[in-house]
């Protein structure tokens, strides 16, 4: 049995990135409209979504239960820095995509805030800071398990290989989601607990709502982008379905990992990704944390 490493002192850096999409073609993902739009639709969620993660963790970081936790506070600072950088770079990607005539993308970014406001229906049951953090934990679980799928899937990577800038952006984001996957969860765990009572119920409601809303919104965005091209035909959806939802698709393979979240004792670090991370950081020449 593999032992679970203690990552309480886990440190990771904020990496300043500035991707240049000048060479990125309209259908950069495997020369396919449906798959490219699927990724753009995902990216359209990120600028507002990542800011929401930052705000929800920042809102509680001075809570007395974690205010003096030096390790966790350092991780929170790095988490905020990483998510802010993801927000910035995905907005740049989205604006590049909009140059091909997809003017809806700015509307999609803004619409993400409307979708996130659905969480407010839970305010009669819990304080808004707790709801926001539960939503962030759920969405961080969702992104971390997809990131791990991407990092472990050479076929998926090869479909992006025609555009080295895009390949690096998505892999960099996947690495950092894996690096900081436990931060929001540890904040929630320390302040509210995670395994029983309303704290457990809220994180389960959170993952169910987050999954439904993210998949629904992202599919809707993909459809709008395909519609703009006059390519709503089944053949484009079939490729999307095969790549993401088919037997070997990214989402289907992630289901067991997704379900782990329902265990009262769940913790993101139960899933050991240390080796995967170190291999990819070396591979992508990404900097390591250096104590100042
Ligand atoms: Fe992120
Ligand atoms: Fe994240």
């Amino acid at each position: 049995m593999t032992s679970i490493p203690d990552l309480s002192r886990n440190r990771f850096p904020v990496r300043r990135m500035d991707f240049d999409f000048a060479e990125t073609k309209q259908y950069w993902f495997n020369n396919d409209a449906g798959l490219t739009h699927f990724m753009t639709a995902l990216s359209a969620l990120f600028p507002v979504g990542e800011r929401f993660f930052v705000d929800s963790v920042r809102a509680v970081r001075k809570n007395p239960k974690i205010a003096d936790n030096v390790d966790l506070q350092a991780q929170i600072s790095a988490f905020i820095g990483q998510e802010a950088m993801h927000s910035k770079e995905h907005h740049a990607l989205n604006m590049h995509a909009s140059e091909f005539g997809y003017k809806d993308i700015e509307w999609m970014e803004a619409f993400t805030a409307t979708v996130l406001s659905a969480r407010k229906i839970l305010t009669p049951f819990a304080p808004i800071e707790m709801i926001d953090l539960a939503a962030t934990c759920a969405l961080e679980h969702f992104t971390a398990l997809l990131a791990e799928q991407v990092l472990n899937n050479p076929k998926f990577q090869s479909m992006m290989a025609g555009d080295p800038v895009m390949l690096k952006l998505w892999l960099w984001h996947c690495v950092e989601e894996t690096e900081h996957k436990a931060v929001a969860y540890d904040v929630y765990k320390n302040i509210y607990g995670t395994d029983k009572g309303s704290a457990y119920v809220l994180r389960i409601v959170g993952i169910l709502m987050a999954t439904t809303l993210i998949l629904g919104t992202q599919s809707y965005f993909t459809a709008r982008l395909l519609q703009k091209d006059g390519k709503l035909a089944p053949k484009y959806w079939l490729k999307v379905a095969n790549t993401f939802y088919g037997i070997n698709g990214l989402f289907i393979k992630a289901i067991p990992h997704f379900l782990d979240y329902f265990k009262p004792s769940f913790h993101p670090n139960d899933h050991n990704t240390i080796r995967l991370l170190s291999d990819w950081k070396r591979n992508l020449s990404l900097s390591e944390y250096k104590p100042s």
Side-chain angles (χ1 to χ4, degrees):
M1 198 175 132
T2 36
S3 61
I4 293 160
D6 174 16
L7 293 181
S8 60
R9 301 186 67 84
N10 185 30
R11 292 284 210 274
F12 41 85
V14 179
R15 305 177 180 92
R16 309 278 156 207
M17 306 303 261
D18 193 12
F19 292 96
D20 178 358
F21 302 104
E23 302 293 319
T24 293
K25 297 191 176 72
Q26 183 175 10
Y27 300 139
W28 63 270
F29 193 111
N30 213 32
N31 295 314
D32 185 87
L35 297 176
T36 302
H37 289 331
F38 187 95
M39 299 301 277
T40 308
L42 203 54
S43 181
L45 296 164
F46 289 148
V48 169
E50 311 258 13
R51 277 201 296 278
F52 172 76
F53 303 158
V54 167
D55 291 345
S56 55
V57 172
R58 196 178 262 149
V60 295
R61 76 179 298 180
K62 295 218 166 79
N63 184 293
K65 289 186 180 162
I66 59 166
D68 299 327
N69 186 329
V70 177
D71 288 322
L72 191 53
Q73 289 292 334
Q75 290 175 27
I76 290 170
S77 297
F79 168 86
I80 289 172
Q82 287 194 342
E83 296 293 36
M85 194 56 60
H86 301 167
S87 187
K88 171 176 114 43
E89 291 306 309
H90 277 278
H91 180 66
L93 183 167
N94 297 343
M95 291 308 95
H96 174 75
S98 75
E99 285 170 19
F100 292 106
Y102 307 110
K103 297 301 173 198
D104 273 5
I105 293 177
E106 271 189 89
W107 171 85
M108 289 174 192
E109 286 192 359
F111 185 70
T112 304
T114 308
V115 173
L116 279 169
S117 65
R119 75 196 190 282
K120 291 182 184 160
I121 62 165
L122 299 172
T123 49
F125 310 105
I128 189 71
E129 314 80 58
M130 187 178 178
I131 295 167
D132 288 0
L133 197 57
T136 297
C137 291
L139 290 160
E140 283 287 284
H141 178 58
F142 197 82
T143 47
L145 62 87
L146 280 184
E148 192 183 334
Q149 288 297 319
V150 173
L151 295 175
N152 272 319
N153 191 324
K155 185 168 172 244
F156 189 83
Q157 294 150 23
S158 73
M159 293 167 96
M160 297 194 276
D163 188 328
V165 173
M166 281 293 194
L167 179 65
K168 176 135 188 198
L169 174 135
W170 286 95
L171 292 172
W172 157 73
H173 194 166
C174 289
V175 164
E176 294 197 345
E177 288 306 320
T178 310
E179 280 182 318
H180 72 226
K181 65 182 178 179
V183 177
Y185 197 86
D186 279 337
V187 172
Y188 189 86
K189 187 177 163 88
N190 277 278
I191 298 176
Y192 305 111
T194 50
D195 59 344
K196 51 183 181 285
S198 57
Y200 174 75
V201 172
L202 190 60
R203 75 177 181 83
I204 299 309
V205 172
I207 191 90
L208 294 173
M209 275 183 76
T211 307
T212 310
L213 290 172
I214 202 171
L215 293 179
T217 309
Q218 194 266 353
S219 302
Y220 175 56
F221 288 176
T222 305
R224 280 184 76 129
L225 292 165
L226 278 169
Q227 187 181 34
K228 172 78 179 68
D229 289 347
K231 289 180 173 165
L232 271 173
K235 69 172 184 174
Y236 295 103
W237 287 107
L238 267 176
K239 268 201 186 157
V240 168
N242 272 334
T243 307
F244 295 97
Y245 301 105
I247 295 270
N248 290 311
L250 282 192
F251 288 124
I252 297 300
K253 279 191 168 171
I255 285 176
H257 187 182
F258 172 79
L259 293 175
D260 286 346
Y261 197 78
F262 291 79
K263 292 181 195 157
S265 64
F266 169 81
H267 188 277
N269 290 340
D270 296 348
H271 209 80
N272 189 336
T273 43
I274 293 177
R275 180 71 193 271
L276 183 70
L277 262 182
S278 65
D279 286 352
W280 272 109
K281 282 191 274 189
R282 196 175 339 104
N283 207 326
L284 296 168
S285 305
L286 293 176
S287 58
E288 293 282 359
Y289 168 78
K290 286 193 194 68
S292 50

